Amino acid sequence: MRSLLFVPGDSQKKLEKGLASGADVLLIDLEDSVALEAKEEARRVTSAFVSEHRGKPERPRLYVRVNGLTTGMIDADLDGVMKATPDGIVLPKTVGGADVAHLGAKLAVREAEFGLEDGATRILAIATENAAGVFALGTFAGASHRLMGLTWGGEDLSADLGAEANRDESGAYTDPYRLARSLTLLGAAAAGIDAVDSVYTNFRDMEGLAAECRAARRDGFVAKMAIHPAQVPVINEAFTPSPDAIARAEAVIAAFKANPGAGVVGVNGEMLDRPHLLRAERLLRRAGKL
Ligand code: COA
Ligand code: MG
């Protein structure tokens, strides 16, 4: 999983476009990109789309973003789409592991009702859309066997904080959003799940997007969300381990294999110990080579 493309769940046209975008995951949205009057229509369109494409061999994974736990809409969302068996559910406005456990219980009921295996539906939590969510980032370990990843959001958080902007004059995120981003990374690592970077809203600025992808990969995020199909190739390229990186990781692993029992080895004038080995193994696992 490298790229996750948001597609409004009431737009048949965008859903079809999303399929052809090259995204690894479609995040089919029933929440903020769908107007209140269009929720019912969006559930219908989304459910039909997931049913139609669920069984096809070459397809992105299909996740549905439902409305949050406090909206009074989430049960209707789940009732509307779970029969179509999406690969996962995206939970917005998540406040910690308790919210994930709550969604897990709702999914368990629907899985049983529709004859699905318990835990078949994965959960991706958007975990920093309000201040309370940021303070709860350390609580995701063990919340649910369905939880596969954590991501963060800077747009809703800025609304919760009453901020005028979330980036400074140079385009860099200001402190509250850098904190939310960093704590998401740490929270995901502490819970043993994937960290997914947030969207880059300026969908015409490919250089800015590429720079943000590189920074995210450097820090440990394994994927990034997109809002426009044109962002997908940029994200895929950034999060696909390069041949160079794979070769370096293989060299690290080979050096440890050649020195069984050694805690530390030297490769090309660089000291390597256990964290380097773990990092190399992680990269190869991501590249599907381990
Ligand atoms: N998924 C699939 N197709 C998309 C798309 C998306 N996220 N965003 C744009 N497209 C399609 C457009 O429909 C258009 O198709 P067309 O050429 O057949 O007319 C094409 O890609 C080019 O789009 P463009 O004209 O550049 O942008 P736009 O003005 O039509 O759309 C947005 C801009 C922001 C409204 C649109 O990108 C969008 O809906 N993004 C997702 C928003 C979302 O889900 N937000 C919630 C999470 S933050
Ligand atoms: Mg939102």
Side-chain angles (χ1 to χ4, degrees):
M1 174 186 68
R2 302 158 299 173
S3 53
L4 305 85
L5 173 63
F6 271 112
V7 186
D10 59 346
S11 171
Q12 187 66 41
K13 182 181 120 181
K14 285 181 185 170
L15 286 166
E16 298 293 342
K17 275 224 131 98
L19 269 186
S21 67
D24 296 324
V25 183
L26 296 188
L27 306 175
I28 305 172
D29 192 23
L30 301 179
E31 200 218 11
D32 285 349
S33 71
V34 175
L36 209 53
E37 314 81 69
K39 299 286 185 195
E40 193 50 50
E41 167 74 356
R43 291 176 192 125
R44 203 184 50 69
V45 171
T46 296
S47 174
F49 179 82
V50 173
S51 290
E52 182 184 347
H53 294 286
R54 185 70 169 82
K56 299 198 172 154
E58 294 285 314
R59 62 164 179 90
R61 274 175 267 171
L62 304 173
Y63 278 48
V64 177
R65 180 166 76 169
V66 294
N67 290 279
L69 283 165
T70 60
T71 61
M73 291 187 275
I74 188 169
D75 286 306
D77 290 340
L78 293 172
D79 288 337
V81 303
M82 280 298 289
K83 203 175 176 168
T85 69
D87 297 291
I89 296 294
V90 182
L91 185 64
K93 320 285 191 292
T94 304
V95 181
D99 276 3
V100 170
H102 188 168
L103 173 61
K106 290 178 181 296
L107 293 180
V109 172
R110 271 83 178 187
E111 285 167 351
E113 202 173 315
F114 298 126
L116 305 172
E117 192 187 324
D118 178 74
T121 321
R122 317 304 293 158
I123 296 174
L124 172 66
I126 312 182
T128 70
E129 294 191 295
N130 49 49
V134 175
F135 283 109
L137 280 166
T139 64
F140 286 97
S144 167
H145 55 300
R146 295 177 174 79
L147 185 63
M148 49 70 75
L150 271 196
T151 187
W152 67 286
E155 305 308 317
D156 288 272
L157 181 57
S158 67
D160 194 44
L161 299 183
E164 287 175 7
N166 54 20
R167 293 180 185 264
D168 65 18
E169 304 75 27
S170 75
Y173 275 116
T174 59
D175 281 348
Y177 311 93
R178 290 155 61 105
L179 179 69
R181 174 184 178 280
S182 297
L183 288 175
T184 299
L185 194 60
L186 295 164
I193 55 179
D194 286 340
V196 175
D197 198 23
S198 192
V199 297
Y200 189 74
T201 53
N202 184 346
F203 57 85
R204 304 276 184 240
D205 174 13
M206 294 304 152
E207 272 179 30
L209 172 65
E212 206 167 273
C213 288
R214 282 193 299 275
R217 185 190 65 205
R218 175 198 65 205
D219 291 347
F221 288 95
V222 301
K224 188 172 176 69
M225 300 188 293
I227 51 160
H228 191 286
Q231 296 182 318
V232 170
V234 177
I235 294 174
N236 282 350
E237 193 194 333
F239 288 95
T240 305
S242 69
D244 250 24
I246 292 172
R248 263 180 280 128
E250 283 171 340
V252 171
I253 288 172
F256 277 96
K257 268 220 178 97
N259 297 278
V264 58
V265 295
V267 173
N268 298 331
E270 221 195 318
M271 181 214 74
L272 302 175
D273 60 4
R274 192 167 160 73
H276 301 93
L277 177 62
L278 294 178
R279 218 157 69 189
E281 286 174 349
R282 239 175 121 140
L283 186 129
L284 291 184
R285 215 170 290 124
R286 236 173 1 96
K289 298 200 178 276
L290 204 72

